[in-house]
């Protein structure tokens, strides 16, 4: 519960959509939305000969994680041509701004992650097994050049 004592419902993490601009894709899972400050460490000796460590923010104060997107494989996958353009080296074409949008129970947008100049750097297919009934899954790793968050703590 927030410090004010007023009840606020949490943001639910199971209603979301990956907006790729003209194309979108329904996804099962998204991970890697993290923000990290790189650290520098200074080691020095004091007057008594004891070693002291000082930790400070590094040269890059905000390092972004790689986004992983998991979804069921299907024909007409909009990620496939995007990934193939990366393999062909068409980097001026592949970088695009994308968004991950979260919705509440009434289908109203409550949170938006806007990723700048994202592009698919890796594609992996799930393991195959004769024991299960799960569809083949694709996991795409997206690199990007920064993220802004709209709707959180506003």
């Amino acid at each position: 519960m927030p410090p004010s004592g007023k009840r606020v419902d949490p943001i639910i993490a199971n209603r979301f959509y990956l907006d790729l601009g003209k194309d979108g894709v329904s996804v099962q899972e998204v991970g890697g939305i993290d923000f990290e400050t790189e650290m520098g460490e200074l080691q020095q000796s004091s007057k008594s000969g004891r070693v002291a460590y000082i930790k400070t923010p590094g040269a890059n104060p905000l390092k972004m994680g790689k986004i992983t997107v998991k979804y069921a494989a299907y024909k007409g996958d909009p990620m496939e041509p995007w990934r193939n353009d990366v393999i062909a080296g068409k980097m001026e074409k592949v970088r695009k701004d994308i968004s991950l949008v979260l919705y509440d129970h009434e289908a109203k947008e409550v949170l938006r992650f806007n990723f700048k100049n994202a592009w698919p750097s890796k594609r992996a297919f799930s393991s195959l097994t004769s024991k299960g009934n799960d569809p083949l899954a694709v996991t795409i790793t997206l690199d990007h050049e920064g993220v802004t968050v709209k709707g959180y703590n506003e």
Side-chain angles (χ1 to χ4, degrees):
M1 189 177 284
S4 68
K6 180 183 172 190
R7 180 193 162 105
V8 177
D9 288 327
I11 298 169
I12 303 302
N14 67 351
R15 297 173 188 260
F16 53 92
Y17 180 71
L18 185 63
D19 185 354
L20 302 175
K22 70 175 185 154
D23 294 317
V25 63
S26 295
V27 297
Q28 295 172 300
E29 189 177 317
V30 178
I33 304 172
D34 53 23
F35 311 87
E36 178 183 352
T37 299
E38 291 182 336
M39 182 199 58
E41 187 172 83
L42 172 66
Q43 181 179 345
Q44 56 191 20
S45 181
S46 67
K47 181 178 179 181
S48 65
R50 290 200 165 278
V51 176
Y53 297 94
I54 299 172
K55 295 183 178 186
T56 62
N60 187 0
L62 186 58
K63 179 181 172 184
M64 307 294 168
K66 294 182 179 205
I67 306 306
T68 56
V69 178
K70 182 178 176 183
Y71 58 95
Y74 60 94
K75 293 187 184 265
D77 179 353
M79 295 284 203
E80 181 70 12
W82 194 21
R83 178 70 183 129
N84 287 340
D85 283 343
V86 170
I87 294 167
K90 300 177 182 175
M91 294 308 292
E92 71 286 344
K93 180 180 178 183
V94 299
R95 288 186 174 97
K96 60 179 159 181
D97 297 343
I98 64 171
S99 297
L100 177 65
V101 185
L102 279 75
Y103 300 97
D104 65 11
H105 291 289
E106 297 174 348
K108 288 189 240 171
E109 182 177 319
V110 293
L111 188 60
R112 177 180 287 261
F113 296 93
N114 295 309
F115 300 98
K116 181 180 178 185
N117 291 328
W119 56 278
S121 60
K122 180 180 176 182
R123 176 182 58 199
F125 290 95
S126 62
S127 297
L128 306 174
T129 178
S130 61
K131 297 178 186 179
N133 294 319
D134 294 335
L136 181 66
V138 178
T139 300
I140 294 284
T141 301
L142 299 171
D143 275 277
H144 60 92
E145 297 173 1
V147 61
T148 57
V149 183
K150 182 180 175 193
Y152 190 70
N153 284 347
E154 291 180 353

